[in-house]
Amino acid sequence: MQVLGIETSCDETAAAVVEKAVDLAGIETGEILSNIIYSQTSEHEVFGGVVPEIAARSHLQKLDGIINKALAEANTNFANIDAIAVTAGPGLIGGLLTGLMTAKAISASTGIPFYAINHLEGHALTARLTDNIKFPYLLLLVSGGHSQFVEVKDVNEYKRLATTIDDALGEAFDKTAKLLSLDYPGGPSVEKAALAGDPKRFDFPRPLPARTETNFSFSGLKTAVRLAANKCAPLTQTDIADICASFQEAIIDVLKNRTHKMFDLFESANTQKDKHLVIAGGVAANKQIRSALESLCQERGWKLIAPPMNLCTDNAAMIAWAGLERLGKFEPSNMSASPRSRWPLDEVSVGVIGSGKRGAKA
Ligand code: KG4
Ligand code: ZN
C-alpha cells in the first residue's frame, strides 16, 4: 500500500510517498520511497520568525511541484497511490488550507481517498515507521509549538500526561537566540554556541521543580536569560556562549526531572517489559538533550527511540505514515473536512492556564 503525504502546517512545504508491506508473519513495515522538503527558512529569517502570509503564499507556489517531485522520486504515480494523507492541523491556517485543498482536489479528480491528519499524530507515530515499536509507549514531543508528554496507547488513542503552561521549548530556544542576536532558527544556534560555554556560570531557574508538578513552564527561564544578558551588556562571545550553555543545562535538568516523573506514571499504568521513550519535534535534534535522555533511559531500564533528524523535524513522510496507520482501520475523510489551527492530540484532557497562547498550535 502506498500513501502520498502532504505537510504545509508551518514553514516547510513537504510531500512524501511511504509504502507499507505486511510479511507472512503479519509484521508490518514501512518504507519511505521519497521525502521531499522545501524549507522556507530563508524567506522568514529576516523577520526573525515565521510570517503566516508569506508561508501561505510560498506553500501555494511550491506545493504542486513538490508533490510531482515526490511521486517521481518514488517512481510511482496516482494510479498506484492508495490514499492521500494531509496535515489538517494544528498549524497556521493559510498553509493548512493550501495543503488540504490540494489533497481534496487530487482526491476529487482521481477518486483516491484522503485522510485529514493531525500533525501531532504524525510526530507521535514516526517511531513505528523507523523502529517498528509496539503500543503503548511514552512520547516527548518538543518543538516550536509544543512541549508535551503523551502516552501513545494506539492509533487515535493518546493521553496527554503533561504540557507547558506558557512557552513551548523550541520557542524558548528561539527567543533566547533572538535576544542574543544569534541566527534564526534559534535552536541549532544556541546549541552550537553552548559548545564553547560554561554551563555553571549562570544559575538559571529550574521552573516548577515541586515534587508533584509535571507540567513545564519556560517563561521564567526566558526572563532570567534576558536579565543576565542585560547585566553583561555589551555581550562578548564568551558571555553569549556561557548564557547558552547555562540555559541549555537548565533545560536539561527540567527535562530529566519531568521524564523521571513520567516514567513513574507510565510504569504505574503499564506493566510491559519493553519500555520505550520516543522523542520527536525539532528540539529532539539537540544532541545534548538526546544524550541526557539516553543516560536517564539506561538508568531506568528504558530504551530511547530518537528518529533520524530529518524525521524529527517537520516532514511529510510522518504524515503519510499516519495515513498508512489509519488506512483500513478508519474511514477516510470527506469533502467537509476543514483545517483546524488548534487541534490537541488528546481532545479530552482539559487545557492548562496559558498553554497554546501562541494560537497556532495546540
Ligand atoms: O518540529 P519543528 O521542526 O517545527 C514545529 O515547531 O512544529 O521544530 C522547530 C523548533 C524550533 O523552535 C527550533 O529552534 C527547534 O525546533 N530546534 C532546536 C534544534 N533544532 C531545531 N532546538 C534545540 N536544539 C536544536 N538543535
Ligand atoms: Zn512539528
Side-chain angles (χ1 to χ4, degrees), residues 28-312:
E28 295 179 340
T29 47
E31 191 189 343
I32 299 174
L33 302 185
S34 63
N35 189 16
I36 311 293
I37 303 175
Y38 166 73
S39 169
Q40 302 173 355
T41 304
S42 63
E43 297 179 53
H44 300 288
E45 66 186 342
V46 285
F47 303 100
V50 179
V51 182
E53 288 76 11
I54 294 176
R57 182 161 300 274
S58 181
H59 286 307
L60 198 59
Q61 284 163 347
K62 294 278 182 337
L63 187 56
D64 289 357
I66 300 279
I67 291 174
N68 283 336
K69 209 167 166 195
L71 292 170
E73 208 166 279
N75 206 11
T76 192
N77 54 48
F78 287 132
N80 302 323
I81 299 290
D82 297 281
I84 301 160
V86 57
T87 302
L92 299 170
I93 204 74
L96 294 171
L97 270 168
T98 309
L100 187 58
M101 293 310 139
T102 303
K104 285 184 179 179
I106 299 172
S107 176
S109 58
T110 59
I112 303 170
F114 77 96
Y115 286 86
I117 301 287
N118 184 321
H119 176 89
L120 305 178
E121 178 169 73
H123 281 304
L125 299 177
T126 302
R128 287 173 46 79
L129 166 65
T130 56
D131 293 79
N132 222 353
I133 60 169
K134 293 198 172 64
F135 297 116
Y137 53 88
L138 185 63
L139 168 74
L140 171 60
L141 175 60
V142 272
S143 69
H146 329 95
S147 306
Q148 301 185 351
F149 276 104
V150 177
E151 186 181 338
V152 183
K153 294 164 178 270
D154 204 337
V155 182
N156 209 39
E157 268 188 61
Y158 308 100
K159 185 174 178 199
R160 196 192 69 209
L161 302 176
T163 187
T164 174
I165 62 165
D166 41 56
D167 293 345
L169 185 51
E171 205 178 348
F173 269 95
D174 291 338
K175 286 178 177 170
T176 295
K178 202 167 178 179
L179 191 92
L180 301 173
S181 304
L182 297 176
D183 287 345
Y184 168 85
S189 308
V190 170
E191 181 178 14
K192 197 166 153 219
L195 287 175
D198 171 9
K200 306 282 176 233
R201 174 159 160 210
F202 299 95
D203 186 19
F204 289 140
R206 275 65 171 153
L208 303 177
R211 279 193 72 79
T212 51
E213 181 56 57
T214 51
N215 283 325
F216 295 110
S217 166
F218 295 112
S219 68
L221 177 58
K222 183 182 63 190
T223 308
V225 167
R226 184 165 45 77
L227 293 176
N230 289 347
K231 216 168 161 188
C232 297
L235 294 172
T236 63
Q237 286 306 106
T238 309
D239 294 332
I240 292 176
D242 291 348
I243 291 176
C244 288
S246 305
F247 165 83
Q248 207 167 257
E249 174 129 314
I251 297 282
I252 287 173
D253 275 356
V254 172
L255 283 176
K256 279 170 34 187
N257 169 290
R258 299 301 189 275
T259 307
H260 263 304
K261 289 173 180 163
M262 291 300 125
F263 282 176
D264 293 343
L265 209 62
F266 187 95
E267 284 168 5
S268 66
N270 300 285
T271 53
Q272 88 247 38
K273 200 164 75 42
D274 294 328
K275 295 178 292 275
H276 293 116
L277 169 66
V278 173
I279 50 171
V283 184
N286 186 296
K287 292 193 193 65
Q288 306 291 325
I289 292 178
R290 278 183 185 226
S291 72
L293 293 173
E294 182 75 65
S295 353
L296 195 131
C297 280
Q298 272 175 18
E299 202 183 296
R300 295 280 306 251
W302 281 59
K303 186 162 180 224
L304 180 71
I305 307 283
M309 307 279 187
N310 66 333
L311 296 176
C312 271

